[in-house]
Amino acid sequence: MKIIILGAGRVGQSVAESLVSEQNGITVIDTDARALRELESRFDLRGVVGNGIDPQVLAEAGAKDTDLLIACASMDETNLVCCKIAQAVFDIPTRIARVRSSSFAVDDPVLGKEGFAVDRIICPEESVTHYIRKLIEYPEAMQVRAFAGGRAALASVRARAGAPAVGLQIAQVRERMPELAMRIVAIYRRFMDEPDRFVRCDGATRIEPGDEVFMLAATEHVSEALKAINLPEGRPSRPVFRIMIAGGGQVSLRLARKLAQTPGRFHVKIVESNAQQCLGLSSVLPAEVLVLEGDATDEALLEEEGIEEVDLFLALTDDDEDNIMSSLLAKRMGARRVLSLINRRAYADLMHGTQIDIALSPAQAMLGEFLAYVRRGDVQAVHSLRRGVAEALEIVARGDRKSSRVVGRKVEELRLPEEVHIGLIVRGIPEGKTCEEVAGTALETEVIIPRSHTVIESGDHVVFFLPNKRLVRNVENLFRVSATFF
């Protein structure tokens, strides 16, 4: 696939890195020649210096035969205009724009073909906010990603000694807890002086303390599944109530607003060092959100504000070093869980497995939204995992037994690599409807934990876990409908 990326900033670089590794033809446009040279030296891509709203620059980048435009420059206006020119002048089939403003709705006619001609708007700040909101809803989880319009979810959790499922083989978990409707699809195990190592799961695989366990389940069963692996027996679940946020940027503002929509549910404090920004936050946030002027790396301030009673500390400033230091300090002083927003991938890798419970990269949080447009076949959702190495993929089975390699066949008959794991099947979503269109509706759907004898039907939404995204093509080819296949 030929792809043009407008913008060589943090988001553009992350998107380019992920897509280049999948053997796509990538061209990046930016006014910063130095940033482009650096990208060209690191990855197999082409850089074009210039303004992305200039038709001549787009033509030089190969817009005439491009399949996908991803406009992720720093300014919303540039991204929107670029999409319009891409449609009107070059007829690029798919156009995605990064838009920070919250003024645009997904179905806003301004974004339609008669307007800016944007097929999908993506906001990294909104993606990060949604990611964190899920962690607040499921306090045991390290991440929670939705599938099938929110009817199913993938969650990862750290196994803790004393939890009901820890120390058992996966087959024993199914025998002793048959009511626990989940499928464990991957385990990443810690080893001394080595990176976490992927452990392929079968019935004989034992869950050990310290493992990072990935599971798939219907949304209503996710909470119980997490507790079975993370919560020692006899210990009650402790919901998130007290939240402290370091930094008063867009993510903090969006999150505080969402949390304040449930009056009395959360006790939120925002610590911001800029006095003017504190005044701005105080003027737009409800009175129950406490805005403090100060430095989140100030030990005296954290102690004075009761850091030892905080359920979740969120370091969300624009400075990676400040986020790391404030998170480590908060954890040492008694905060129950800490999350650090880290833009640099090298830093995120270093922090993985340390006292920082969750190291979150903004680009990784929204990368799957781009990948869904790159995948072949009827792909509904993609989530990039393990810092871009692994992937969870939702794809729809189409056709019939004559035209498809999967429809009408048992799971055990599918020709998949050993490492690829079928996690679950969602049945009952009407054909022609996307998961976004059915999200929040009262549709009767069935979430199936597949066994070897389970037969896949046309229209089934099948969710896979792939420990290495080089395996994606195997899945895509398997689900491809062919008029000549018998």
Side-chain angles (χ1 to χ4, degrees):
M1 179 178 283
K2 292 194 66 174
I3 302 169
I4 291 178
I5 299 173
L6 173 63
R10 286 172 174 170
V11 174
Q13 288 183 30
S14 296
V15 173
E17 180 179 2
S18 179
L19 298 181
V20 162
S21 66
E22 300 179 20
Q23 300 179 341
N24 293 294
I26 307 294
T27 302
V28 180
I29 301 173
D30 201 284
T31 54
D32 187 341
R34 184 178 177 180
L36 288 176
R37 283 198 303 270
E38 183 182 339
L39 269 178
E40 286 177 317
S41 68
R42 291 170 55 201
F43 308 117
D44 182 19
L45 54 76
R46 176 173 169 244
V48 174
V49 180
N51 192 325
I53 63 174
D54 185 340
Q56 288 186 333
V57 173
L58 284 169
E60 185 185 346
K64 287 183 180 179
D65 58 351
T66 290
D67 303 298
L68 171 65
L69 169 74
I70 300 173
C72 50
S74 57
M75 295 181 63
D76 292 355
E77 297 88 343
T78 302
N79 296 330
L80 293 172
V81 173
C82 183
C83 285
K84 184 59 181 177
I85 293 172
Q87 178 242 7
V89 179
F90 300 102
D91 196 25
I92 294 177
T94 307
R95 302 158 301 276
I96 302 173
R98 170 190 178 173
V99 179
R100 281 196 171 101
S101 172
S102 56
S103 304
F104 295 104
V106 175
D107 56 351
D108 196 321
V110 175
L111 300 174
K113 284 192 175 181
E114 302 304 316
F116 286 111
V118 179
D119 292 302
R120 176 70 182 265
I121 59 170
I122 289 176
C123 175
E125 292 82 6
E126 184 61 31
S127 298
V128 171
T129 303
H130 181 72
Y131 188 105
I132 295 172
R133 189 68 185 85
K134 284 290 184 184
L135 295 177
I136 294 170
E137 184 180 349
Y138 300 99
E140 293 84 13
M142 298 174 69
Q143 61 182 311
V144 179
R145 302 298 187 97
F147 288 100
R151 287 163 170 76
L154 171 80
S156 71
V157 61
R158 186 72 67 189
R160 296 179 66 184
V166 177
L168 299 179
Q169 294 177 336
I170 292 175
Q172 293 175 318
V173 174
R174 290 198 292 259
E175 290 168 7
R176 299 186 190 185
M177 291 174 268
E179 75 287 350
L180 204 58
M182 69 168 180
R183 167 63 59 84
I184 294 175
V185 292
I187 289 175
Y188 287 84
R189 184 159 294 159
R190 289 175 173 173
F191 293 90
M192 189 68 68
D193 300 325
E194 289 183 40
D196 291 4
R197 194 183 302 163
F198 169 71
V199 177
R200 197 172 70 84
C201 295
D202 56 31
T205 306
R206 192 176 301 276
I207 303 170
E208 297 181 2
D211 285 349
E212 183 180 355
V213 181
F214 283 81
M215 66 182 75
L216 279 155
T219 302
E220 60 267 25
H221 299 309
V222 169
S223 184
E224 288 304 312
L226 290 169
K227 291 173 186 176
I229 294 174
N230 181 261
L231 200 63
E233 288 188 275
R235 185 178 298 181
S237 180
R238 182 178 166 183
V240 173
F241 172 60
R242 293 179 177 84
I243 300 170
M244 184 180 289
I245 304 173
Q250 278 297 312
V251 175
S252 303
L253 175 60
R254 288 170 182 266
L255 181 62
R257 275 179 168 163
K258 284 188 181 292
L259 296 177
Q261 290 174 359
T262 312
R265 172 67 181 86
F266 302 101
H267 185 263
V268 182
K269 294 179 181 179
I270 299 178
V271 181
E272 169 56 51
S273 58
N274 185 290
Q276 198 65 34
Q277 202 160 345
C278 286
L279 288 173
L281 287 169
S282 299
S283 66
V284 296
L285 287 172
E288 58 264 28
V289 177
L290 183 61
V291 180
L292 304 167
E293 182 186 348
D295 186 349
T297 61
D298 183 345
E299 189 172 354
L301 173 64
L302 294 182
E303 185 176 6
E304 185 179 334
E305 294 303 325
I307 189 66
E308 72 279 358
E309 296 179 351
V310 168
D311 299 309
L312 182 61
F313 178 88
L314 303 168
L316 306 179
T317 75
D318 292 328
D319 189 293
D320 286 355
E321 288 85 353
D322 279 355
N323 288 341
I324 292 168
M325 294 308 296
S326 62
S327 295
L328 291 172
L329 181 61
K331 188 71 172 181
R332 183 176 67 81
M333 294 181 69
R336 186 158 66 99
R337 298 190 83 201
V338 299
L339 177 147
S340 182
L341 198 64
I342 302 176
N343 285 287
R344 295 188 190 180
R345 181 169 178 173
Y347 283 10
D349 290 345
L350 282 173
M351 291 302 105
H352 187 75
T354 66
Q355 286 184 306
I356 294 177
D357 296 296
I358 301 164
L360 174 59
S361 163
Q364 286 297 320
M366 35 89 9
L367 190 55
E369 298 176 57
F370 292 116
L371 293 176
Y373 286 88
V374 180
R375 297 287 174 257
R376 299 168 185 166
D378 198 344
V379 173
Q380 293 290 309
V382 179
H383 293 298
S384 181
L385 308 166
R386 299 291 300 181
R387 300 174 295 287
V389 176
E391 199 166 286
L393 178 75
E394 176 189 346
I395 189 166
V396 184
R398 300 295 188 196
D400 53 29
R401 190 172 175 85
K402 289 185 177 180
S403 61
S404 169
R405 293 176 174 85
V406 297
V407 173
R409 287 165 176 81
K410 297 177 182 178
V411 168
E412 64 185 3
E413 296 173 348
L414 303 184
R415 296 179 180 178
L416 285 167
E418 284 187 355
E419 303 99 314
V420 175
H421 218 113
I422 296 182
L424 52 78
I425 297 169
V426 181
R427 185 168 290 166
I429 295 177
E431 188 170 351
K433 293 284 185 180
T434 66
C435 289
E436 287 182 348
E437 290 172 332
V438 301
T441 63
L443 234 113
E444 286 294 327
T445 56
E446 182 183 6
V447 179
I448 301 165
I449 304 297
R451 305 298 181 203
S452 59
H453 60 271
T454 303
V455 176
I456 296 176
E457 298 179 4
S458 182
D460 281 354
H461 289 236
V462 187
V463 182
F464 292 90
F465 180 92
L466 300 91
N468 193 309
K469 63 181 183 179
R470 64 179 169 75
L471 301 166
V472 167
R473 290 288 178 259
N474 298 79
V475 177
E476 290 175 337
N477 291 336
L478 184 68
F479 275 73
R480 190 173 55 203
V481 176
S482 171
T484 59
F485 178 77
F486 291 93

